[in-house]
Amino acid sequence: MEMRTTGRRASIVAAAVAAAGILTAAPASASGPELRPGFVSPPVLTGGDGAVQTIVLSAPAPPGGTHVSLYGDLVYGHSTGRHAYVPAGATTVSFPFRTAAPATDVVRTLHAQVSGAPLVPVAEVTIRPADPATRAVTSLSYTKESLVVGETTQGTVTLAQPAPAGGLAVSLWSNTHYGPGVHVPPYVVVPEGSTTATFPLKATRAETPAVVSPSADLGTSRASRDVVVVPDRFALSDGLLLKPGTVTPGAIGIGRAPNPEGTTVRLHTDFPGVTVPSTVHIPPGSPGIAIPLTAAPSIPRGSQGTLTATWNGTTATTTFITG
């Protein structure tokens, strides 16, 4: 899953508004009935809620049924499978769905399509933001906080209060695009009465070790947690940009090398204005760890330096620049 977009966050589905004249029937399909305005129950949603949508046809579905393609935000599409099927002889089909929670009130239109006809609006929705006093994400955690590419860990989302009836959908974001990557599902549902839910997080790519920060989002509340992603070899983060007067997180990894008791890596930088720990300890069973690089406030912008790591008689070197 890639970085968040406003479209995914805002899109949602709600009540039928045919009576208001907003929605119109689709042009007749060459292969069957046309789409009519449908409806959603309940008609108004609060961020994280689930609902049931009903698709309506102008006439009974023919033998073999009618397949309907559904279009909405990423969470909606993932929860519906992006398709609905109206059985032969039926004029409606209903299915549950989830949507992304917004930060403010939003009104969006849900579209659908039958074969041989254009994409048309079938419902319009208003969704209200979650009240953080009663619905809030408080933390995000993982069973492993350092992964070799290809490995999967279990993530846990925690809420401030138990989820309401029907459960609460929390959007998940990998917050990666170029460079190192992790994959998370579009959302996770915290079951009714529970404060936690788990989901898989997989390390998908890393040319060099890196720190990434996936997050869990309810529109009006958000939690993030760093995870270190490393390649299958001993290496350091590459291409770090250090800002004067700040601490920049880098990472070091030992790949799939056995590490039953933990191991120590020595660090050295050749630039006087940048400091790093002289040694870091990678915990038992872990393939890597984050390392802080501190740039002095007075360091000139555009300065370039080298960071060297030594472990088990081998050396890894990377360069950084201040800016």
Side-chain angles (χ1 to χ4, degrees), residues 57-88:
L57 299 181
S58 61
T66 296
H67 292 269
V68 182
S69 298
L70 306 172
Y71 298 85
D73 68 14
L74 186 59
V75 173
Y76 172 83
H78 188 82
S79 69
T80 62
R82 303 184 187 277
H83 293 87
Y85 172 73
V86 184

Side-chain angles (χ1 to χ4, degrees), residues 202-300:
K202 183 176 182 179
T204 56
R205 64 182 184 273
E207 295 299 322
T208 62
V211 179
V212 296
S213 299
S215 60
D217 196 328
L218 254 179
T220 49
S221 62
R222 187 177 183 226
S224 62
R225 182 80 173 186
D226 290 345
V227 61
V228 175
V229 181
V230 306
D232 191 10
R233 58 187 173 84
F234 176 46
L236 281 165
S237 294
D238 188 33
L240 292 174
L241 178 64
L242 280 56
K243 294 184 178 180
T246 65
V247 178
T248 300
I252 187 167
I254 59 173
R256 300 185 188 277
N259 185 26
E261 299 179 357
T263 190
T264 297
V265 180
R266 297 184 180 278
L267 299 174
H268 172 73
T269 177
D270 65 357
F271 199 93
V274 176
T275 59
V276 295
S278 59
T279 61
V280 291
H281 182 72
I282 299 178
S286 175
I289 194 171
I291 53 175
L293 288 81
T294 304
S298 59
I299 193 170

